[in-house]
Amino acid sequence: MSHSMYVVTVPPIIHSLTNLRAILEKAASHAETKKIDPSVLIDARLYPDMFPLSRQVQIATDVAKGAVSRLAGLEPPKYEDNEATFAELLARIDKTIALLKSFKAEQIDETEEKTIMLPMHDKTVEFKGLAYLTDFVLPNVYFHVTTAYAILRHNGVEIGKHDFLGAIY
């Protein structure tokens, strides 16, 4: 039985980014309630050599917009990567979700064997569509959303597994 590439790409990524959005809203509210400078959370890291919260959000959205664009045969849109407030991070997520929703199933379906060339640092990695999705895209989106969650939870934001998973029933 084959699965629609659209169904296993777009809805789960939108779900994950929607949950990330809700988590960031809770973080913004937490900072306001506790009188914490929001930049403390936005610049927080789990470990000194890891990216801060803002970069985790940027990467999750970059991977998401890159996935649907590349699978559809389009150049991914470029974002500035200059978000420094919760409002800017939320707007970035909103822009990414709107982009994902603009794609139709017929643009993504049947791309399992499509060659995807992914520029990465100093090289370009070649994937087939399904491997790109299962071995790179979904793990990366989940990793960066999970890391954003962990940064905020570590810094006292009252979030839990339900916030990460969102509405699943």
Side-chain angles (χ1 to χ4, degrees), residues 3-25:
H3 295 283
S4 159
M5 284 286 283
Y6 178 89
V7 168
V8 296
T9 305
V10 176
I13 292 174
I14 288 174
H15 182 80
S16 192
L17 293 179
T18 299
N19 297 344
L20 176 58
R21 188 185 200 295
I23 289 167
L24 292 177
E25 286 177 329

Side-chain angles (χ1 to χ4, degrees), residues 1-100:
M1 177 178 157
S2 68
H3 295 283
S4 159
M5 284 286 283
Y6 178 89
V7 168
V8 296
T9 305
V10 176
I13 292 174
I14 288 174
H15 182 80
S16 192
L17 293 179
T18 299
N19 297 344
L20 176 58
R21 188 185 200 295
I23 289 167
L24 292 177
E25 286 177 329
K26 283 190 172 188
S29 177
H30 174 84
E32 185 177 330
T33 301
K34 301 288 187 182
K35 307 284 189 254
I36 298 169
D37 179 349
S39 67
V40 170
L41 295 177
I42 292 166
D43 296 335
R45 304 165 186 261
L46 286 179
Y47 196 76
D49 68 352
M50 293 180 73
F51 288 128
L53 175 69
S54 58
R55 190 71 185 121
Q56 302 297 336
V57 174
Q58 291 165 349
I59 295 171
T61 54
D62 283 347
V63 172
K65 68 184 171 67
V68 294
S69 298
R70 288 185 184 95
L71 289 171
L74 303 171
E75 185 68 27
K78 304 267 190 251
Y79 292 175
E80 299 258 344
D81 293 340
N82 59 0
E83 295 82 9
T85 67
F86 281 114
E88 291 169 347
L89 290 170
L90 294 171
R92 183 184 179 111
I93 292 171
D94 291 343
K95 181 168 54 170
T96 304
I97 290 172
L99 174 72
L100 295 174

Side-chain angles (χ1 to χ4, degrees), residues 125-136:
V125 179
E126 181 177 325
F127 290 96
K128 292 298 181 188
L130 183 60
Y132 173 60
L133 174 63
T134 60
D135 299 344
F136 180 81

